[in-house]
Amino acid sequence: MLRLSFFLLLLFTSEIRSFDLYIEESPDSDDFGDLLEEFQTSFKDRARRSVSEEDDVQAISSDAVLLHSYKVESTITSHFANTMIRSKVVNNDKTTRSLAFDIQIPKGAFINNFTMNVNGIVFSGSIREKTEARSLYSRARARNKAAGLMRTNSLDMEKFKAELTVPSGTKVEFEIHYQETIRRNLGVYQHVVYLQPGRLAKHFEADIYITEPQGISSVNVPVTVSPNYAPLVKTTKGEKKAHISFKPSVDEQRECPGCSTTAVDGKLVVRYDVQREQSSQLQVFNGYFLHFFAPENLPPLPKNILFVIDVSGSMWGLKMKQTVEAMKTILEDLRPDDQFSIIDFNHNIRCWKEELVYASDLEKEDAKQYVQRIQPNGGTNINEALLRAIFILKEASDLGMLEANSVSLIVLVSDGDPTVGELKLSKIQKNVKTHNRDDFSLHSLGIGFDVDYDFLERLAQENNGMAQRIYGNQDTAAQMKEFYQKVSTPLLKNIIFNYPLDGISDVTQNSFHHYFGGDELVVAGKLKPENISPLQSMITASSANADLLLDVTSEAEALNELFEQSKHAFPDFAKQYWAQLTINQLLAERNLATTAEAKRNITKSILQLSIEHHFVTPFTSLLIESEDGKERMLADAPKDPKGGCCQTLINLRKTPFKQSIAVDDDPHFIINLPMSDLDVCFNIDSQPGNILNLFSDPELGIGVNGRIVSAKKEKNSKLNTYFGTIGMYFKQHNMKIEISTEKITVKDESYTHTMPWSESCSMMINRKNLTLTVKRNSNFTITVNENLSFLIILHRVWKNHPINVDFLGLYAPFENKFSSSVHGLIGQFMHEPITTVHDIRSGQDPQKPIATMHVKGETLTVTRGVQKEYQTNGGEANDVPCWFVHNNGKGFIDGHYKDYIVSSLYSFLKRP
């Protein structure tokens, strides 16, 4: 009997849901015969068929896996992109191999189909409501059929990965389709496709076709994977059409002459704009209308702007340096008729000026010097800072200090949750909404990966503003300046689109507070079937000099001729654009809904649209099934699948495990290996009182150790152990820090300072380049020299628990800059060892497959399992699927775990 193994890993990232799925099937049922025959191609035929393919493999790559073709095609029609990525892979090895399909998807795009063709058997997708998908899953399981899952619970999906472990000779074709509205930003439309074939492709094609009824004014390709590939990108532009192509040969793909690895791994970025003979463009096609409004050559409205800047201790270092750099540029860009002020806040609220002042050269220079002198420290009082900003604007308005046609803005810059004052996020939202006026907009910039971006986004949405995540790195200043450019030039306010009610329905948002230069306002809707007359629209708005009234008319058949002549136009662009715009607006409304009934009604509308227009959204799943419907990959497997021939291990996470290395719980070590794309786990069963070295870097003078404590008594004949105290020694700073479950003690040659867990506070020691931050009864963070950080999470049990005790978990980002001499139970993995896992197979427990791991010259048998980490979801448990190494990590760690026992909390590891 032929055994088929599939390992399917579908991963969606930046603040999203993900899961692992392992499927192993032994087809032995009568109704599976046809499928089995298709896989049981004779080895003789396969051998004859593989001769030329084997030659191709040798000519292309030293790897026995051949990427036969890699094709990317985007068709952009009226700023709506329909993108297809197809990869054809052949396993010409004599053994089972893993075939992967790994792509990036632009933020905001909606997946609308994914198919697989495995040796001629096609699995295609359909969008289903999750409950229905679960039901279909159960039926498939009852018939002993393979089952799998693809879904997302966020719009921030950025990565998609599918991986199949298949027998020799298998051909697999992956194909994914996704769609996105391309919004105008700073005067251009930008479309990004990620080219990540993973290996040399025998045939490589990337095509982007643009069709714009308004006419194309400009098109360019500023990013082409790498500068070396710029000459290979071909661009042709007509009046209303453009084509961008990138088709490197095998040799042109090579990383170096004769190399078997590909250099193609990056983005192809296309920027273009359309002709602007008219500021308003109304397009009608196939029963839908799209209305694009982007006026130019208008004088800017004066603006009243308050910058509210978080200067708490967590902003110390690179974040603050980059914020100051950005603010100095932003202040310089203010126009003389703009009024502004600056509020900086930690646990206290400070104002550069208690009132708005005009942006004269003198005031701007004084403001820049004020910002330059900011020293971050203390907690975070977001509530009081925003209320102070609203008060300043309201007072200026009440006193008649604001220009009648001006625009009032608050720009909040923060990297964390509130730790001082009002801590309840919903209460802060309510306070801001209650005190804010409808004509004051609030814009939120969230800095870093750990910021509660959902909270900042809700603040902005409720107060007519925009939100943007600013990733905390060397580009922080550039990202902040780019965001400011989006709101720096208000041209209109109080814009309303009016349409005849008797001819249209289901119109998206048609009133807007502001229009900023370089942006575009879009309204979409349906035409009623009986409407055969031209569609008319009237737009009213207020500009710097006068009130505007624009009248636009569009014939329903105006676009038919253009699209009939356009081979690569996407015929459903208007329908899908309307649907995606509507869904996004409904998701925003749901985010702000105040009652459960309102949320249910909005969810019902989103679900209906998602199914009708074939979008994967937070409330739908993509059911993948064979043509006859007998074999399925579908959503939300039961928690305890039983019986049948399929073994399915599913892990659902709120967000992916961040690239870090951790030890937590009993004590479980979780080692993230980003280059190998693996999470590896092991436990250490040491005696209470023992002190284990976790990090030892004698070159940098850094030692981190943990003391073992035990539970109060055995549970299920096992006495659990944990880390009860963690000691950190920074020799070059002559600083020792002891973190227990009761308090944090900081000691150097001259003083001892205690920080209780019961209070949120920050402490910055400038002369030692150390920042210490306590989040009340939650976690402790230490940052050293801007390039090293550690997170310690406090786990409390309820008082007088009969068994469990309080304990600590330690997390270290993989980006920490240790020296080459770093070692320790965790430290040795800061320089990642080459690790591979293959030969996935059934274990004694059908829910825990086993595999073979090669690492550090060792061959280990590992088990698929799940460990818990508490970093990703703000202290909540998050399941991490990992390959578990038995016997206290033997073979994975250097030596024996007892080699890591040290004499004190501040000892360095003595290596033989």
Side-chain angles (χ1 to χ4, degrees), residues 247-409:
K247 300 179 182 180
S249 66
V250 173
D251 286 337
E252 288 168 335
Q253 297 170 48
R254 295 185 193 277
E255 202 163 21
C256 64
C259 286
S260 60
T261 52
T262 180
V264 180
D265 184 8
K267 298 186 291 187
L268 188 65
V269 178
V270 176
R271 290 178 185 160
Y272 74 95
D273 201 13
V274 299
Q275 299 288 353
R276 299 283 170 190
E277 295 178 2
Q278 295 180 332
S279 59
S280 181
Q281 175 77 11
L282 186 58
Q283 299 180 9
V284 178
F285 192 69
N286 281 355
Y288 292 82
F289 75 86
L290 300 176
H291 195 168
F292 303 104
F293 183 59
E296 295 180 337
N297 302 319
L298 294 171
L301 297 167
K303 60 180 178 287
N304 318 299
I305 186 165
L306 269 163
F307 300 99
V308 182
I309 304 172
D310 183 346
V311 297
S312 61
S314 58
M315 284 287 288
W316 183 83
L318 183 61
K319 289 180 186 176
M320 197 71 244
K321 180 180 178 182
Q322 295 272 313
T323 299
V324 168
E325 178 189 333
M327 281 302 302
K328 289 162 74 173
T329 302
I330 290 168
L331 289 168
E332 187 60 39
D333 287 344
L334 291 172
R335 289 181 284 272
D337 59 350
D338 291 336
Q339 297 189 69
F340 78 105
S341 189
I342 300 169
I343 295 173
D344 58 300
F345 70 96
N346 45 30
H347 50 283
N348 296 316
I349 312 300
R350 294 196 314 163
C351 297
W352 167 65
K353 302 277 188 180
E354 292 289 346
E355 68 284 329
L356 295 171
V357 298
Y358 281 98
S360 66
D361 290 342
L362 185 64
E363 297 288 15
K364 289 193 292 187
E365 186 59 35
D366 187 59
K368 285 189 278 187
Q369 292 180 16
Y370 177 84
V371 171
Q372 185 70 55
R373 293 192 297 269
I374 289 175
Q375 292 293 324
N377 63 81
T380 308
N381 193 339
I382 293 177
N383 185 69
E384 289 300 321
L386 290 176
L387 294 183
R388 178 73 64 87
I390 294 169
F391 173 79
I392 291 174
L393 282 176
K394 289 171 72 174
E395 185 177 51
S397 177
D398 293 342
L399 293 175
M401 297 172 59
L402 305 184
E403 299 287 344
N405 60 347
S406 64
V407 171
S408 297
L409 315 169

Side-chain angles (χ1 to χ4, degrees), residues 214-254:
Q214 289 175 257
I216 299 172
S217 62
S218 64
V219 60
N220 68 88
V221 185
V223 180
T224 57
V225 183
S226 73
N228 296 336
Y229 284 123
L232 300 182
V233 177
K234 308 299 180 185
T235 302
T236 58
K237 173 185 169 296
E239 181 185 356
K240 296 184 177 182
K241 302 175 188 177
H243 176 213
I244 298 91
S245 65
F246 175 58
K247 300 179 182 180
S249 66
V250 173
D251 286 337
E252 288 168 335
Q253 297 170 48
R254 295 185 193 277

Side-chain angles (χ1 to χ4, degrees), residues 15-33:
E15 304 148 22
I16 41 108
R17 305 291 195 262
S18 69
F19 58 89
D20 290 331
L21 173 66
Y22 174 83
I23 303 173
E24 179 170 288
E25 178 171 344
S26 303
D28 55 4
S29 57
D30 293 337
D31 60 354
F32 202 48

